[in-house]
Amino acid sequence: MSTTTKSQNNLVPIMIIGGLFAIFGFVTWINGALIPFMKTINELTETQAYLVATASYISFVVMALPASYIISKTGYKNGISLGLAIMAIGALVFIPAAEARTYWMFLLAIFIQGIGMTICQTAANPYITILGPIESGAKRMAMMGIANKVAGALGSIIFGALLLSGIDDVNEKIGNVSADEKNVLLDTMADSVHTPYIVMAVVLFIFAFLIRKAALPNVEAAEEEALTDGESSSTKTIFHYPHLWMGVLALFVYVGAEVIAGDTIIAYGISLGIPAADAKFFTTYTLMAMVATYALGVLLIPKYIQQKTALVISAILGIIFSVLIISTSGFTSVLFVAALGVSNALVWPAIWPLTLDGLGKHTKTASALLIMAISGGAIIPPLYGRIVEANKHELITNGLQEAEALATAATGSYWILIPCYAIVLLFAVWGHKIKSWSK
């Protein structure tokens, strides 16, 4: 079969999986609006607010290996359909959570959606990676990234408008009203989740049904060629591949950095005194920067630049932008947080094919490990929140007003991004080359 025919045959599956990545983006990136929303209605600390990200991403640790087993039994298509249905159930749990205005119920709803997302991601990422030559895997992943982040930007705008409308007034009033009046204000605000999450659940159930009926071809990773000493992938385990474990670490810290860039930026802008009506668009800035860079990746990879080169450039830019965030202030600092979208865009598309290269029959298990690495989004953002909180209290103790202390602490705490991008750079320069412990 010719390359052209293969490309034509793959076009419909790529479009279907692109729609799936759009769903991932929409559901994932509304966390940027959920964090300040839940902080207000549940009266949370900085650390507690960022557990929204933890509840979403910790599911990747809990479910990645079970998801790999499910995919091996059901196949990619049925696994994706199941994951979407579970995400729909999670969306419905938001309704009683809002009625009760109970923090742990919101976290449970987010966690259930995360379980569904894990199953979908465990199937979709390796599927799109091996749906064509491994050398152009980053290009296909970049195409998925465009769908993901455009939908994420729309989700952020829509949910920002629905959930954060009037939040500045509510935050101002709750400190000056009676307990009963405060409960009425917060209950009214909590009720704003009903319609969007009912609509989300219906759409997810519909997509679950359509994916099950879709014409997706069955694809498998190519087996690793026999080694010179006669050993092949059939006699090796995942522990024989150091580049896999280095890729898992790189993806872990990258996802943490990406989630910080997308999920903290609205709360960061508000902490700097920027009105919520303006700050609600900030996640969109980050995502649009990613979309533009994804488009460059589609055009440039692999014809003009290699996947590993794109990864090196991305990591270096991440370090530079992180330094600029903590070296500036106000809206300028916010723009550098948004600029992290440029440095983040091609990291995920490049790490996947570089890590899965040569793993053969171990591809599904390796993919589950990479999906588990998404838990970086569960650990690193709350760590950022904890650092902000600790620094804020220290600055207040030293005599700063609370608002100024929060702004200063929020800016300075972005230093946590620098070691994350340094680890990605190490994998890009050296780690992906180490295919065996003996080399």
Side-chain angles (χ1 to χ4, degrees):
M1 185 182 292
S2 69
T3 302
T4 302
T5 304
K6 287 182 180 179
S7 298
Q8 291 173 343
N9 289 344
N10 287 341
L11 179 60
V12 171
I14 287 174
M15 292 176 66
I16 293 172
I17 300 300
L20 188 65
F21 272 83
I23 292 173
F24 297 162
F26 191 96
V27 174
T28 299
W29 291 102
I30 60 177
N31 283 346
L34 273 178
I35 288 172
F37 173 78
M38 286 181 58
K39 183 182 178 184
T40 294
I41 67 169
N42 294 121
E43 300 178 273
L44 307 176
T45 66
E46 299 294 328
T47 303
Q48 289 172 329
Y50 287 109
L51 287 177
V52 169
T54 299
S56 179
Y57 290 97
I58 201 65
S59 57
F60 291 102
V61 175
V62 176
M63 276 301 296
L65 289 175
S68 178
Y69 175 78
I70 291 170
I71 300 304
S72 68
K73 294 297 182 183
T74 65
Y76 288 115
K77 183 171 72 171
N78 291 336
I80 291 169
S81 179
L82 174 63
L84 288 169
I86 293 173
M87 289 172 66
I89 293 170
L92 291 176
V93 176
F94 271 88
I95 309 306
E99 286 294 325
R101 198 159 49 82
T102 303
Y103 179 47
W104 69 264
M105 287 187 68
F106 276 111
L107 295 183
L108 176 62
I110 294 167
F111 178 73
I112 293 171
Q113 283 204 311
I115 288 175
M117 182 90 71
T118 303
I119 297 173
C120 289
Q121 293 261 24
T122 303
N125 283 285
Y127 187 89
I128 198 67
T129 300
I130 62 181
L131 193 66
I134 196 71
E135 294 79 12
S136 59
K139 178 177 182 176
R140 290 187 297 280
M141 291 291 275
M143 293 167 66
M144 299 303 101
I146 291 174
N148 182 275
K149 297 311 184 286
V150 169
L154 289 174
S156 177
I157 291 172
I158 292 169
F159 274 70
L162 293 173
L163 302 184
L164 301 182
S165 177
I167 191 173
D168 290 331
D169 290 337
V170 172
N171 284 330
E172 187 176 340
K173 289 177 181 177
I174 57 176
N176 302 309
V177 296
S178 68
D180 289 340
E181 290 173 319
K182 180 174 74 172
N183 284 331
V184 170
L185 280 171
L186 297 181
D187 286 342
T188 301
M189 186 173 177
D191 288 344
S192 62
V193 307
H194 287 182
T195 300
Y197 276 96
I198 289 172
V199 172
M200 182 189 293
V202 170
V203 171
L204 287 169
F205 277 126
I206 291 172
F207 268 89
F209 175 78
L210 293 178
I211 286 288
R212 193 173 182 85
K213 300 296 183 182
L216 289 175
N218 182 44
V219 295
E220 296 291 340
E223 279 290 332
E224 179 189 17
E225 294 181 2
L227 304 177
T228 54
D229 61 1
E231 183 185 31
S232 73
S233 63
S234 63
T235 60
K236 298 172 73 174
T237 71
I238 57 172
F239 297 104
H240 286 88
Y241 300 95
H243 79 286
L244 163 61
W245 298 99
M246 293 177 189
V248 168
L249 175 61
L251 200 69
F252 176 88
V253 295
Y254 156 69
V255 174
E258 183 190 59
V259 172
I260 285 178
D263 283 4
T264 70
I265 190 170
I266 294 177
Y268 179 49
I270 292 172
S271 75
L272 297 178
I274 297 171
D278 298 325
K280 68 184 180 184
F281 296 107
F282 290 168
T283 295
T284 304
Y285 294 173
T286 304
L287 297 179
M288 287 299 95
M290 295 186 78
V291 168
T293 312
Y294 278 133
L296 281 177
V298 171
L299 294 173
L300 299 178
I301 299 173
K303 186 175 182 180
Y304 298 105
I305 63 172
Q306 295 180 312
Q307 295 170 150
K308 62 181 181 181
T309 304
L311 192 56
V312 169
I313 295 170
S314 297
I316 292 172
L317 286 175
I319 293 171
I320 292 172
F321 290 144
S322 300
V323 171
L324 290 171
I325 291 168
I326 61 180
S327 302
T328 57
S329 60
F331 185 62
T332 301
S333 183
V334 171
L335 289 178
F336 282 121
V337 177
L340 289 173
V342 175
S343 58
N344 288 339
L346 297 180
V347 177
W348 178 281
I351 286 179
W352 272 86
L354 289 174
T355 303
L356 296 182
D357 187 24
L359 294 181
K361 70 171 187 175
H362 302 296
T363 297
K364 285 189 177 73
T365 303
S367 298
L369 292 172
L370 284 168
I371 292 297
M372 290 177 73
I374 295 175
S375 61
I379 295 170
I380 298 176
L383 182 57
Y384 165 81
R386 189 67 177 265
I387 294 169
V388 170
E389 197 169 339
N391 289 343
K392 182 183 77 172
H393 289 312
E394 183 179 350
L395 290 168
I396 291 173
T397 302
N398 291 335
L400 262 66
Q401 296 295 319
E402 182 174 355
E404 185 181 357
L406 176 58
T408 303
T411 302
S413 299
Y414 277 108
W415 66 262
I416 196 174
L417 295 170
I418 296 173
C420 293
Y421 289 112
I423 291 171
V424 173
L425 181 60
L426 180 66
F427 174 75
V429 172
W430 173 74
H432 77 279
K433 300 177 183 178
I434 313 302
K435 306 292 186 182
S436 170
W437 295 110
S438 62
K439 294 182 181 179

